[in-house]
Amino acid sequence: STLHLFINDMDLHSTETTNMASSRENDSFSSLEVAIGEGFLNKEGSSYNFAHDQIQFVTYSLIPKDRRDQLHLQIGYNILKNKPSDDRGNIFFIAVNQLNRGKLAMDEGMKELVAGLNLKAGHEAISLSAFQNSALYF
């Protein structure tokens, strides 16, 4: 159970970022540092792991059910937007899985886009000989 964060290489204090975006990013990092200090998360590189599965479960249960699908869409979109262009697999699959979990919040255009991503994920899984996993995307 890993909470993956995909962070752009840009400096958080760069003049290219707006004050609002920079402030939100700094707030997110501050929150993560508090969670690490309290022992809820462990940091390994740019990945943050929940210290225990029950912490992950409780954290997820605190998200209002009517916001979960939208949150999964946002997470999936952000992962896709920030993934390395040479990624062949894991990050792309995580992104598509997050998008799939947000299906109730999708409009028709988004459903078509995600269907195309699922097709791509299925073909990618087959090319990686992950036949059992590829069935999830078709």
Side-chain angles (χ1 to χ4, degrees):
S1 60
T2 302
L3 171 67
H4 290 277
L5 294 180
F6 301 94
I7 303 165
N8 283 334
D9 291 344
M10 73 178 171
D11 181 77
L12 290 177
H13 304 289
S14 169
T15 56
E16 296 174 18
T17 60
T18 64
N19 288 339
M20 185 179 191
S22 181
S23 174
R24 267 198 307 188
E25 288 174 354
N26 286 332
D27 288 346
S28 296
F29 289 116
S30 296
S31 297
L32 290 173
E33 292 302 320
V34 169
I36 292 167
E38 293 293 325
F40 298 124
L41 292 177
N42 299 317
K43 183 175 180 183
E44 298 173 16
S46 64
S47 293
Y48 294 78
N49 302 314
F50 286 98
H52 193 280
D53 289 342
Q54 289 299 313
I55 294 171
Q56 181 180 6
F57 175 77
V58 169
T59 302
Y60 190 75
S61 72
L62 292 173
I63 301 168
K65 289 182 181 182
D66 61 339
R67 293 243 323 114
R68 290 179 187 171
D69 286 330
Q70 186 61 42
L71 185 61
H72 285 295
L73 284 179
Q74 289 172 337
I75 291 169
Y77 173 77
N78 285 331
I79 292 171
L80 277 178
K81 183 176 77 170
N82 293 305
K83 77 176 186 63
S85 58
D86 61 348
D87 174 61
R88 274 195 49 98
N90 197 34
I91 296 173
F92 178 68
F93 293 130
I94 292 169
V96 174
N97 285 332
Q98 286 295 317
L99 292 170
N100 287 338
R101 292 183 71 180
K103 62 185 166 199
L104 296 178
M106 291 181 199
D107 60 20
E108 289 305 313
M110 184 63 149
K111 286 179 182 177
E112 287 182 30
L113 173 70
V114 172
L117 291 171
N118 274 287
L119 183 62
K120 181 178 176 182
H123 288 296
E124 186 69 23
I126 288 172
S127 74
L128 295 171
S129 298
F131 301 115
Q132 193 170 24
N133 290 341
S134 67
L136 297 172
Y137 303 104
F138 288 111

